[in-house]
Amino acid sequence: MKVIKQLSAHATQDGDGVNISRIPGFDGKHLDPFLMIDELKSDNKNDYIGGFPAHPHRGMETFTYIIKGGFEHRDQMGNKKAIKAGDVQWMSTGKGVMHSEMPLADANEGLHGFQIWINMPSAEKMRAPIYQDTTAHPAPVATNDNGVTLKALAGTWQFADQALTSSLQTLAANAALADVTLPAGQRLELPPLSQQKVMLYIHTGSLTTQAGNVIAAKQLLILEPGSDIDLYTEQGAGVLILAGDELQQPIAHMGPFVMTTEAEIQQAIRDYQNGEFGNI
């Protein structure tokens, strides 16, 4: 496994004062086709209780994965869902989504989850929005003989002599995501994935390199294209694997809108001000 770039998440806030750790990629230099990786992890409800009140999106996809706690999602399409521990939610926002994500009233034991933004091809940014979650079809999970677990959050993954096929199969840029849990002293080896961009985000514990260096949580490792995946931990680890094909297109970004040109951003603002995103 060859790592060509390592990035650290930094503390910031979003929504109504929600504390998050973020790796931004709106410059298109390192994360393409991903735009942003936000991790929400706290046992203090004051860090997340404000949630994310109603707000619009256009031109990108939101991918939400909850490890602990949960949110209630609402949108103008009529979706109202409780997204709880183990659940995944995906919205391909297309020409416009208005939604909110608020902490569940009974989520009193803390929150740990992710919201990841994926860019959309320019030609698809103005198509109708799509909503899907795994509440009815949970993400498949397998554990190998060494106690290493892989949960297929999106796409299809070959692991423990079987194919794990998520119900989420049509993400932009051929994106696929998995959550891997490694017990102390264990290793995970996977052959190269088909996608051009493969990244590893350590969300729990730490990894140990072949040279004996420890890589702590909140670090993103970007692999050389075509590299295999070889993870080893001495003390236990939780790692997200993110894969996708680069779009290699201009990125125009303003708040919740991600388009290809500044003119498209200005049109999105006008459409929002004119009420074309609807209400929830």
Side-chain angles (χ1 to χ4, degrees), residues 54-56 98 257 267-277:
H55 59 280
M98 179 71 74
F257 306 133
Q267 185 63 54
I269 294 171
R270 288 192 295 270
D271 290 346
Y272 173 62
Q273 292 173 337
N274 291 334
E276 294 185 22
F277 283 70

Side-chain angles (χ1 to χ4, degrees), residues 142-144 148-150 157-164 188-190:
T143 303
N144 68 14
V148 177
T149 297
L150 185 146
W157 297 79
Q158 298 293 327
F159 177 73
D161 298 324
Q162 58 183 299
L164 301 178
L188 169 70
E189 295 177 287
L190 294 175

Side-chain angles (χ1 to χ4, degrees), residues 31-36 60-63 88 90-92 116-121 124 132 152-157 164-178 193-199 241-247:
L31 304 192
D32 184 19
F34 298 92
L35 296 162
M36 182 184 76
M60 34 69 75
E61 299 189 343
T62 65
F63 183 93
V88 180
W90 167 67
M91 285 196 309
S92 185
I116 296 167
W117 289 13
I118 307 164
N119 203 3
M120 296 179 67
E124 299 179 13
Q132 193 175 354
L153 306 179
T156 299
W157 297 79
L164 301 178
T165 301
S166 167
S167 59
L168 304 179
Q169 288 289 324
T170 57
L171 277 64
N174 194 30
L177 297 96
L193 302 179
S194 63
Q195 290 89 342
Q196 295 169 322
K197 179 64 60 61
V198 177
M199 305 185 295
I241 304 177
L242 306 91
D245 291 329
E246 295 181 354
L247 294 176

Side-chain angles (χ1 to χ4, degrees), residues 199-253:
M199 305 185 295
L200 311 171
Y201 182 85
I202 306 166
H203 62 74
T204 305
S206 62
L207 295 178
T208 305
T209 69
Q210 292 182 345
N213 299 319
V214 175
I215 307 175
K218 300 188 185 302
Q219 298 293 307
L220 180 73
L221 308 179
I222 302 175
L223 305 187
E224 180 179 65
S227 174
D228 64 341
I229 297 174
D230 185 358
L231 310 179
Y232 174 72
T233 179
E234 292 184 348
Q235 300 192 3
V239 181
L240 282 188
I241 304 177
L242 306 91
D245 291 329
E246 295 181 354
L247 294 176
Q248 298 181 348
Q249 66 189 26
I251 297 173
H253 166 236

Side-chain angles (χ1 to χ4, degrees), residues 55-65 73-80 83 88-101 115-120 127-133 168 170-172 256 280:
H55 59 280
H57 285 295
R58 174 178 282 182
M60 34 69 75
E61 299 189 343
T62 65
F63 183 93
T64 302
Y65 169 47
H73 163 93
R74 297 189 185 195
D75 62 44
Q76 95 282 5
M77 296 178 283
N79 297 301
K80 179 182 177 181
I83 308 300
V88 180
Q89 177 202 74
W90 167 67
M91 285 196 309
S92 185
T93 68
K95 64 182 179 181
V97 165
M98 179 71 74
H99 79 136
S100 65
E101 296 165 299
Q115 182 163 108
I116 296 167
W117 289 13
I118 307 164
N119 203 3
M120 296 179 67
R127 64 164 167 74
I130 303 170
Y131 174 92
Q132 193 175 354
D133 62 53
L168 304 179
T170 57
L171 277 64
I280 59 173

